Amino acid sequence: MPPVSYLLAAELGFLRSVEVVPTRTTSSAEQLRALLAGEQDMVVTAIDNLFEWTRAGANLRLMAQVEATTPLGIHAGGEVKTLAELAGRRFAVDAPDNGFALIAQRLLRDAGVEVDFVVVGGVRERLDALLDGQVDATLLGPPFSKLAEKAGFTRVVDVNALLPDLPGQGLVVRAEILESQELERYLSALVRGVAAGESMADAEGIALLERCGYQAGAASAWESRARTLEVDHRGLELLTQIRGSLDMLPKGIALETLCDAEPLIRAAGSAAVGN
């Protein structure tokens, strides 16, 4: 689902000054392929992906954090009530070595539980695999988490309760477009969308998300929306610590050095003067 900051900008007309062609991708691997091929200029993705994508040779920068956090839960069939009961079961992930999969690995390792990780794809594909019985558990966020719960699947773990500094998804762009006017106009529209959301009544914001397809997950997504697009560096520290604890921290790659705040600063200035 598009992040709330994007939907606010689109619904309120702030994107009229810039041409945006949104594309749904089915996995982080597909996002990387499109970035490397120049088919996509930017992606909304789990910030941790930058570690592996940079190691793969992509020249990318983290521009903004488009969610305060991503509300995540480990969901499983109704007979599973605890992490311990996941032992030996099939656990769907987007990619085994990056993104939200590492959060699952960390929580399962801390609980002393080993599972069979199955690469399925994006969150919609993981939900379908869970509903169809192809896998036994996976990580889900709204609205897909609510759809799973309505279908009788249990939220075994509230990830955010255990990891309160977990950062939401980031806006990652190809370094070649950092100085472009199009990027500045796009970021400026997002800044205006975030500001408009702050003055919007909760009921109005939730209704907007319901119209845009969030359905039962609208309230949760509205609550976790970005109040600022600035990257929360506590979240970067947490992601780095998680990778380090799993012995998966690539040498010479640091999220802090891949974070470039200048385009957002310029865009905020443009938004303030109404450009």
Side-chain angles (χ1 to χ4, degrees), residues 146-196:
K146 297 299 182 183
L147 294 175
E149 290 167 13
K150 289 180 69 174
F153 291 83
T154 301
R155 185 177 68 172
V156 178
V157 169
D158 181 343
V159 173
N160 303 83
L162 297 178
L163 301 172
D165 287 335
L166 180 69
Q169 296 186 100
L171 181 66
V172 173
V173 309
R174 295 190 296 116
E176 297 95 304
I177 70 167
L178 289 178
E179 303 298 327
S180 70
Q181 289 296 312
E182 290 86 354
L183 177 61
E184 182 174 327
R185 287 198 295 269
Y186 179 71
L187 289 173
S188 179
L190 294 187
V191 170
R192 294 176 65 191
V194 168

Side-chain angles (χ1 to χ4, degrees), residues 6-267:
Y6 175 85
L7 291 175
L8 285 167
E11 290 292 308
L12 298 175
F14 301 143
L15 288 171
R16 291 171 184 159
S17 64
V18 57
E19 182 180 2
V20 181
V21 183
T23 303
R24 178 179 172 268
T25 52
T26 56
S27 68
S28 60
E30 174 61 18
Q31 286 184 317
L32 175 59
R33 186 206 62 77
L35 287 167
L36 289 172
E39 297 171 5
Q40 298 291 338
D41 294 310
M42 62 185 74
V43 298
V44 173
T45 197
I47 293 174
D48 174 84
N49 287 335
L50 271 171
F51 281 114
E52 293 300 323
W53 291 0
T54 301
R55 181 156 62 178
N59 189 11
L60 305 169
R61 295 294 182 272
L62 175 62
M63 292 288 95
Q65 186 174 314
V66 294
E67 298 174 318
T69 189
T70 302
L72 288 175
I74 293 179
H75 289 74
E79 73 281 3
V80 176
K81 302 298 182 183
T82 66
L83 280 180
E85 292 173 318
L86 286 176
R89 295 180 184 261
R90 298 161 298 172
F91 195 108
V93 295
D94 170 27
D97 299 325
N98 56 281
F100 294 137
L102 297 194
I103 296 170
Q105 287 193 40
R106 168 65 179 270
L107 295 178
L108 290 164
R109 189 208 64 176
D110 289 351
V113 175
E114 293 187 7
V115 300
D116 178 17
F117 286 110
V118 180
V119 176
V120 174
V123 62
R124 189 182 300 272
E125 287 72 28
R126 296 199 304 274
L127 172 64
D128 289 343
L130 184 65
L131 296 179
D132 294 343
Q134 300 173 31
V135 298
D136 302 304
T138 192
L139 274 173
L140 295 173
F144 306 102
S145 53
K146 297 299 182 183
L147 294 175
E149 290 167 13
K150 289 180 69 174
F153 291 83
T154 301
R155 185 177 68 172
V156 178
V157 169
D158 181 343
V159 173
N160 303 83
L162 297 178
L163 301 172
D165 287 335
L166 180 69
Q169 296 186 100
L171 181 66
V172 173
V173 309
R174 295 190 296 116
E176 297 95 304
I177 70 167
L178 289 178
E179 303 298 327
S180 70
Q181 289 296 312
E182 290 86 354
L183 177 61
E184 182 174 327
R185 287 198 295 269
Y186 179 71
L187 289 173
S188 179
L190 294 187
V191 170
R192 294 176 65 191
V194 168
E198 286 302 276
S199 61
M200 188 178 291
D202 288 343
E204 183 182 358
I206 292 170
L208 183 151
L209 296 189
E210 289 174 341
R211 293 197 304 273
C212 293
Y214 267 87
Q215 303 172 357
S220 178
W222 181 254
E223 182 181 355
S224 64
R225 74 188 187 280
R227 266 67 170 188
T228 173
L229 295 176
E230 295 178 7
V231 174
D232 186 345
H233 291 268
R234 294 173 303 175
L236 302 187
E237 292 174 4
L238 174 63
L239 296 178
T240 302
Q241 190 273 332
I242 288 174
R243 273 194 168 262
S245 70
L246 296 171
D247 294 324
M248 298 177 66
L249 189 61
K251 291 183 179 179
I253 299 176
L255 290 180
E256 291 287 351
T257 63
L258 297 173
C259 182
D260 190 339
E262 287 303 316
L264 182 59
I265 293 172
R266 292 195 299 269

